[in-house]
Amino acid sequence: QVQLVESGGNLVQPGGSLRLSCAASGRGFSISAMDWYRQAPGKQRELVARISSAGSTIYADSVKGRFTISRDNAKNTVYLQMNNLKPEDTAVYYCKAAARSGPGATVRDYWGQGAQVTVSS
């Protein structure tokens, strides 16, 4: 089984920075893509950033140039560095990992518990 534990959510002022971490654990599992999603109250969950196992990245237009996704494969951890934060970035941030138990096995999605990020003066 794969478990994702998030950390780093906090209250921050507009223009400030915050770094989220998501550590995956699961013996014998191979993790491919790792994503960050966010969901604000009354809004749909949206993809914020994605990073492949090879390091290629995708960003939502709303965060491009401000957020950076990275990963440490040795630690099975994905990070989201958020700079120049805006009030509209306020949301619960979820990490997601696609993983399989071995070659040819079924790929399944696993979700973190969510981390609250609040950007306010």
Side-chain angles (χ1 to χ4, degrees):
Q1 300 179 13
V2 176
Q3 293 187 353
L4 303 178
V5 180
E6 300 181 32
S7 63
N10 216 327
L11 171 67
V12 64
Q13 293 182 332
S17 297
L18 204 61
R19 189 193 194 197
L20 301 180
S21 298
C22 176
S25 62
R27 294 288 295 177
F29 280 84
S30 178
I31 299 175
S32 53
M34 300 189 78
D35 304 342
W36 285 100
Y37 286 78
R38 69 184 181 187
Q39 187 169 26
K43 302 290 185 179
Q44 293 183 339
R45 185 173 298 187
E46 63 174 344
L47 176 67
V48 176
R50 180 192 303 166
I51 185 167
S52 72
S53 59
S56 61
T57 59
I58 296 174
Y59 295 95
D61 289 339
S62 59
V63 307
K64 196 172 299 181
R66 299 187 297 118
F67 290 11
T68 302
I69 187 172
S70 62
R71 66 190 291 170
D72 185 335
N73 290 333
K75 297 180 179 179
N76 278 339
T77 300
V78 62
Y79 307 92
L80 185 66
Q81 178 65 48
M82 303 180 290
N83 298 326
N84 191 24
L85 283 161
K86 304 175 180 180
E88 51 263 44
D89 294 319
T90 296
V92 177
Y93 285 71
Y94 300 90
C95 64
K96 181 178 75 70
R100 63 186 182 188
S101 60
T106 301
V107 178
R108 301 184 184 278
D109 291 336
Y110 300 87
W111 291 86
Q113 80 279 12
Q116 178 68 53
V117 173
T118 302
V119 184
S120 176
S121 299

